[in-house]
Amino acid sequence: MQLNHFSIINKTFDQELSDLAQLGFKFEPSLSAKATLESWLTTAPIAMTSLAATDRETVSDFLASETPLTWEIFYAISLQLLDFVAIFDFQLTEALTFAKAINLPLVDLSAEPSAQHIISAIYLVMNSRRQTGMTLVEHWVSEGLLPLDNHYHFFNDKSLVTFDTGQLIREVVYVESPVDTQNRGQYDLIKVEIIRPQYDGKLPVIMTASPYHFGTNIKANDDKLHDMNVDLVEKPLGRLTISESTLTLPDYPATEIPPADNNQAIEHFTHTWTYSLNDYFLARGFASIYVASVGTRDSDGFQTSGDDQQIAGVTAVIDWLNGRARAFTNRQKTHVLTADWANGHVAMTGKSYLGTLAYGAATTGVAGLDVILAEAGITSWYDYYRENGLVRSPGGYPGEDLDVLAELTYSRNLDAADFLANNPAYQKQLADMSQALDRTSGDYNAYWHARNYLPHAEQVKADVLIVHGLQDFNVTPSHAFHFWQALPEHVTKHAFLHQGSHIYINNWQSLDFSETINAYFSAKLLDRDLTLDLPPIIWQKNGVAQSFESLSELGGHDSIEMPLGRSGELTHFDNHYPAETFDTYSKSFQTFKTDLFEGKANAAIIDLPVSENLRVNGQIELDLCLKLNDTKGILSAQILDFGPKKRLTDVSTLLESKTIDRGRNFMLDDLRDLTLVDKPYQVVTKGFMNLQNRKSLTEIDAVPDDEWLQVKLHLQPTIYNFVAGDTLRLVLYSTDFEHTIRDNREVSYELDLGKSRLHLPTN
């Protein structure tokens, strides 16, 4: 096991004493080191009789003996408090060796233990994570070290578990948005579920916007999936012109509506899906609210899928929390109520579509949104369903497109009355969407431009925290990379880049993610100083268990060139498969991927030896000289770290079930992490292109039959360590059965390897 602490804030000795005293640990620095240790242990909520100090003495025997306190003994005891098992996990005589091996935060061990040194060491240990996934201080507070008094208490500038989750207020309001997506002559109402602790003052808000929250229409989604087995279409030549569109908001008169009695909601709920990170903050004095926006169950409107109207349905809730919009007690709008319990500070959280809406909301610059935690979010919907002029499905979902996702998330149809009243009009809108997104050409157009948040990044005022998996080929790393690059210099930004796929990381054993976000949100949303010294990028190393590194940049400034072959060296691949093989691959893209990576599918395989340690940071560029015997074609490319060795899984492994307490016996969470396993290869990056768009996204050129072309293709950004002796395998091919349309025409591709090369960005 390796501990990676980014949440621990350096404090002066006086500040450490003050923090400890607030928890009931009142030390007298004039005491001996051993007496100081005893004071800590006798105050802590622990069974001291279960602890050993040395291989000969229990802690009780040690405290009563003349044996002097050493750092070996101090950390032997501390490791047991951190849930490591003496004799089995570590040897009592080698506690320091083990502590260093697991990267436990340590004080300066060069000095003999004194009372002051021991107090500082205690402070660090209490901020350290236990093996079971909670910091020691959080575990002790959850065990009753502090009372549940519904008031804020802080340790190391993080809010502690002192809010009673057994007395949560759960209420529903309907916020009036500024849009009318059905053209009914009235503003769409947005259903909002609120969960908040009881508190005499005003609470900050953790908001998750999820169009899935009130249900999904899986049958409609499946029925809408597109056929991928179609031929590539040759596109008319020319340059595309993209017009800007601005949302014109309707201006309806506001009718006079009476206030709710005592400003109280009348609709309540018991339990729905909640994000465990939000649950963590509930117990620490933050309200948790969920909003699904337009076109979802119990809200008004149509599903507009990522455009300004859907975003406006989200930001309207932030406006209401800040007194700039109205909310009603029910859909009939009989009474209005205000968020008199909210302090106006909002953070947005969530993964995938949830992180997408956080990105979109941030680019409006809405006042009151102080920070977003965007996890695997989409920043351009075109880049989710298209790539370089080519229809491309997100990883694992062949045949999906934005109209399919609209069917999934238009959950109003799950209520029969809503279906009868609105489905005919919705189906017309859906047909218009299917036409506008243009699967025939795969081109970028005004429809996609209206769902691209990158051009509006200069309007961001909130701090931006990005979480993204470098093995995420559903929402690819390009979304995080391009948003990072597009943000103006004045915006504070940080990124957590892990080696997983499309997953959450807040319950991992090796990373104090929740505690780090606690320190950040406690400062930003509670008007406290941000004392956390967080690096720009926290990157999880590939091929190493539970190891994270601080980096300063995303995208290297230097480049290494790797030729693909010798002068005059040629290779080729075909596009067409026999009917039986084509059918097999169409039914199982996993079978295709296995054959592709092992050189059994139609592809050119180029193995390049890595002669020295190399870190790729950014987008690898392919510069290829190729020709094909047709006037249209697909270029697909993947880079592998090829050869058997230990590599990380891309989905987390269950280490222990229901061991992380998000409050006090509240919403238990599993302990998980990526683990090392034997793997024959690792995908590093991939990319796809319609060869008619080889010059730019908005320029459509001819592909001359049987003429050499120079083609540049930027692959998905990544950060990846190659080690001397590794083999970099480049796989070049045409149809990809997971991602692209399944073009099975008889097309042959030829490559001049001597005139082709890789450009690897480094720093």
Side-chain angles (χ1 to χ4, degrees):
M1 176 181 174
Q2 283 281 321
L3 298 168
N4 297 272
H5 287 96
F6 295 93
S7 66
I8 298 177
I9 298 165
N10 291 329
K11 294 291 184 179
T12 67
F13 180 66
D14 287 343
Q15 289 170 330
E16 292 173 351
L17 282 176
S18 176
D19 272 5
L20 289 163
Q22 291 181 60
L23 297 180
F25 299 105
K26 297 181 179 179
F27 297 105
E28 176 52 60
S30 62
L31 294 177
S32 69
K34 191 170 180 179
T36 300
L37 174 64
E38 183 174 11
S39 173
W40 179 48
L41 295 175
T42 54
T43 306
I46 60 171
M48 196 165 62
T49 55
S50 65
L51 303 175
T54 71
D55 58 350
R56 291 190 175 92
E57 293 177 306
T58 67
V59 164
S60 298
D61 292 339
F62 163 73
L63 293 174
S65 73
E66 297 297 321
T67 306
L69 176 61
T70 64
W71 287 122
E72 196 78 58
I73 293 173
F74 175 82
Y75 283 106
I77 296 169
S78 297
L79 285 167
Q80 294 169 76
L81 297 176
L82 294 172
D83 208 39
F84 294 97
V85 181
I87 302 168
F88 296 94
D89 289 335
F90 72 98
Q91 299 304 310
L92 289 162
T93 56
E94 298 177 5
L96 274 177
T97 300
F98 181 78
K100 292 174 183 177
I102 65 170
N103 202 30
L104 185 71
L106 302 173
V107 295
D108 181 6
L109 303 177
S110 62
E112 290 296 317
S114 66
Q116 181 168 336
H117 286 131
I118 290 296
I119 291 169
S120 293
I122 287 169
Y123 190 79
L124 267 183
V125 168
M126 290 185 64
N127 277 294
S128 299
R129 294 197 107 201
R130 303 170 77 233
Q131 184 171 211
T132 44
M134 296 170 66
T135 62
L136 183 58
V137 66
E138 288 190 327
H139 173 66
W140 281 354
V141 173
S142 71
E143 294 292 315
L145 183 62
L146 290 178
L148 279 174
D149 60 5
N150 281 7
H151 285 83
Y152 291 100
H153 297 266
F154 299 92
F155 188 82
N156 199 235
D157 294 344
K158 303 171 191 67
S159 187
L160 294 172
V161 189
T162 51
F163 287 80
D164 189 354
T165 53
Q167 301 295 324
L168 294 171
I169 299 167
R170 298 173 180 266
E171 56 196 355
V172 176
V173 302
Y174 296 86
V175 171
E176 186 176 59
S177 77
V179 297
D180 176 13
T181 56
Q182 290 180 262
N183 297 315
R184 300 173 303 143
Q186 54 184 300
Y187 296 118
D188 291 341
L189 294 186
I190 308 299
K191 182 179 181 179
V192 180
E193 287 187 339
I194 302 166
I195 313 172
R196 55 186 173 95
Q198 296 189 18
Y199 181 56
D200 291 337
K202 294 182 180 293
L203 297 166
V205 169
I206 311 293
M207 184 170 98
T208 297
S210 169
Y212 310 125
H213 188 70
F214 296 113
T216 54
N217 195 335
I218 296 174
K219 184 178 187 304
N221 173 95
D222 293 347
D223 290 344
K224 188 68 175 176
L225 287 171
H226 296 276
D227 182 11
M228 298 294 287
N229 295 355
V230 296
D231 289 344
L232 183 67
V233 172
E234 187 168 349
K235 299 189 282 189
L237 309 185
R239 185 175 292 275
L240 303 175
T241 301
I242 309 301
S243 58
E244 289 284 346
S245 62
T246 56
L247 175 63
T248 302
L249 297 174
D251 185 13
Y252 300 142
T255 55
E256 192 69 27
I257 297 175
D261 291 344
N262 298 317
N263 199 39
Q264 296 293 307
I266 60 172
E267 187 175 331
H268 301 274
F269 64 99
T270 52
H271 182 71
T272 54
W273 175 87
T274 56
Y275 177 21
S276 64
L277 184 66
N278 295 18
D279 297 334
Y280 169 91
F281 278 105
L282 266 174
R284 289 157 176 82
F286 296 74
S288 178
I289 71 176
Y290 296 88
V291 51
S293 197
V294 294
T296 60
R297 202 171 194 174
D298 297 330
S299 292
D300 294 330
F302 289 147
Q303 178 55 266
T304 61
S305 300
D307 74 346
D308 289 344
Q309 296 180 97
Q310 186 181 35
I311 301 302
V314 173
T315 56
V317 181
I318 300 173
D319 286 334
W320 173 66
L321 292 167
N322 283 273
R324 300 188 299 266
R326 298 192 300 177
F328 306 98
T329 56
N330 53 35
R331 289 186 75 178
Q332 291 71 44
K333 299 188 289 189
T334 57
H335 295 86
V336 297
L337 74 172
T338 62
D340 58 355
W341 50 266
N343 72 358
H345 292 294
V346 180
M348 291 185 68
T349 64
K351 174 176 69 71
S352 197
Y353 209 147
L354 290 59
T356 303
L357 296 178
Y359 278 131
T363 59
T364 69
V366 59
L369 180 59
D370 295 285
V371 55
I372 64 168
L373 176 62
E375 305 177 66
I378 295 165
T379 56
S380 168
W381 282 93
Y382 180 89
D383 291 341
Y384 186 61
Y385 287 117
R386 306 286 186 270
E387 187 170 339
N388 294 315
L390 186 69
V391 172
R392 176 184 58 74
S393 299
Y397 297 93
E400 187 185 302
D401 211 325
L402 193 54
D403 52 352
V404 179
L405 187 62
E407 281 281 58
L408 179 71
T409 55
Y410 182 67
S411 51
R412 293 186 66 188
N413 266 353
L414 298 176
D415 288 330
D418 246 335
F419 181 91
L420 293 174
N422 297 299
N423 186 60
Y426 173 66
Q427 291 303 321
K428 181 181 183 305
Q429 184 214 36
L430 190 65
D432 292 342
M433 176 188 293
S434 296
Q435 183 174 359
L437 54 84
D438 186 9
R439 284 186 65 86
T440 301
S441 74
D443 283 337
Y444 190 74
N445 58 27
Y447 186 84
W448 294 111
H449 193 61
R451 290 158 176 80
N452 185 354
Y453 310 129
L454 295 172
H456 310 293
E458 75 279 356
Q459 296 176 200
V460 173
K461 298 175 183 176
D463 287 11
V464 176
L465 306 180
I466 294 172
V467 179
H468 217 104
L470 296 172
Q471 288 294 314
D472 189 346
F473 297 111
N474 176 355
V475 180
T476 53
S478 63
H479 295 274
F481 180 82
H482 292 312
F483 200 79
W484 179 275
Q485 304 291 349
L487 284 171
E489 288 187 7
H490 68 268
V491 173
T492 300
K493 60 185 180 182
H494 302 275
F496 297 79
L497 302 177
H498 58 85
Q499 294 296 331
S501 53
H502 199 61
I503 57 177
Y504 281 116
I505 68 170
N506 63 296
N507 59 351
W508 286 12
Q509 181 187 57
S510 58
L511 182 66
D512 59 341
F513 180 77
S514 296
E515 298 91 326
T516 301
I517 303 304
N518 185 340
Y520 211 98
F521 285 7
S522 290
K524 298 295 294 186
L525 306 186
L526 289 168
D527 289 318
R528 295 166 58 87
D529 291 336
L530 181 58
T531 54
L532 180 69
D533 185 16
L534 193 62
I537 297 163
I538 295 172
W539 169 67
Q540 184 179 23
K541 296 180 181 179
N542 58 283
V544 183
Q546 300 187 328
S547 183
F548 291 80
E549 183 176 334
S550 299
L551 300 178
S552 59
E553 293 183 286
L554 177 54
H557 298 294
D558 299 324
S559 179
I560 293 175
E561 182 177 293
M562 296 182 71
L564 299 190
R566 300 180 303 277
S567 177
E569 185 179 359
L570 304 178
T571 190
H572 79 282
F573 59 87
D574 294 322
N575 178 64
H576 178 75
Y577 289 97
E580 183 178 352
T581 305
F582 184 83
D583 184 59
T584 297
Y585 287 166
S586 295
K587 290 177 179 177
S588 172
F589 65 79
Q590 292 290 358
T591 301
F592 164 75
K593 287 170 67 173
T594 299
D595 284 357
L596 178 72
F597 297 153
E598 295 179 356
K600 300 175 184 176
N602 289 347
I605 305 293
I606 300 104
D607 285 340
L608 302 172
V610 178
S611 59
E612 59 184 17
N613 293 351
L614 168 67
R615 174 175 295 170
V616 174
N617 185 348
Q619 289 187 281
I620 296 175
E621 181 186 281
L622 279 175
D623 187 357
L624 302 176
C625 183
L626 61 82
K627 66 178 178 179
L628 57 158
N629 62 348
D630 207 308
T631 56
K632 54 185 180 294
I634 298 170
L635 176 63
S636 300
Q638 300 206 42
I639 288 180
L640 312 180
D641 176 6
F642 193 80
K645 60 180 175 179
K646 294 282 186 183
R647 295 184 174 92
L648 291 170
T649 56
D650 62 3
V651 294
S652 58
T653 301
L654 177 66
L655 303 181
E656 192 168 344
S657 179
K658 304 302 180 185
T659 188
I660 304 174
D661 194 343
R662 290 304 184 184
R664 297 198 189 189
N665 195 28
F666 172 70
M667 297 297 190
L668 300 179
D669 203 357
D670 295 334
L671 183 70
R672 308 187 68 90
D673 219 317
L674 303 187
T675 52
L676 284 175
V677 297
D678 291 318
K679 295 173 72 173
Y681 44 75
Q682 176 70 61
V683 175
V684 177
T685 182
K686 60 177 73 172
F688 307 92
M689 174 184 283
N690 186 323
L691 286 173
Q692 285 195 266
N693 291 85
R694 63 189 179 277
K695 292 183 180 178
S696 79
L697 186 59
T698 56
E699 185 176 349
I700 302 170
D701 289 291
V703 177
D705 186 355
D706 206 29
E707 290 187 17
W708 289 105
L709 306 171
Q710 205 69 31
V711 177
K712 296 182 186 299
L713 174 61
H714 287 89
L715 306 182
Q716 285 296 323
T718 190
I719 305 178
Y720 195 90
N721 277 347
F722 286 99
V723 178
D726 283 348
T727 297
L728 184 156
R729 169 164 285 192
L730 172 62
V731 184
L732 297 170
Y733 58 109
S734 181
T735 293
D736 186 292
F737 286 80
E738 179 180 16
H739 294 288
T740 73
I741 60 171
R742 294 159 181 169
D743 180 24
N744 201 34
R745 295 172 302 117
E746 293 190 4
V747 183
S748 293
Y749 294 73
E750 191 167 6
L751 289 146
D752 187 332
L753 298 182
K755 296 180 180 179
S756 302
R757 56 197 49 82
L758 283 178
H759 297 280
L760 307 174
T762 63
N763 58 0

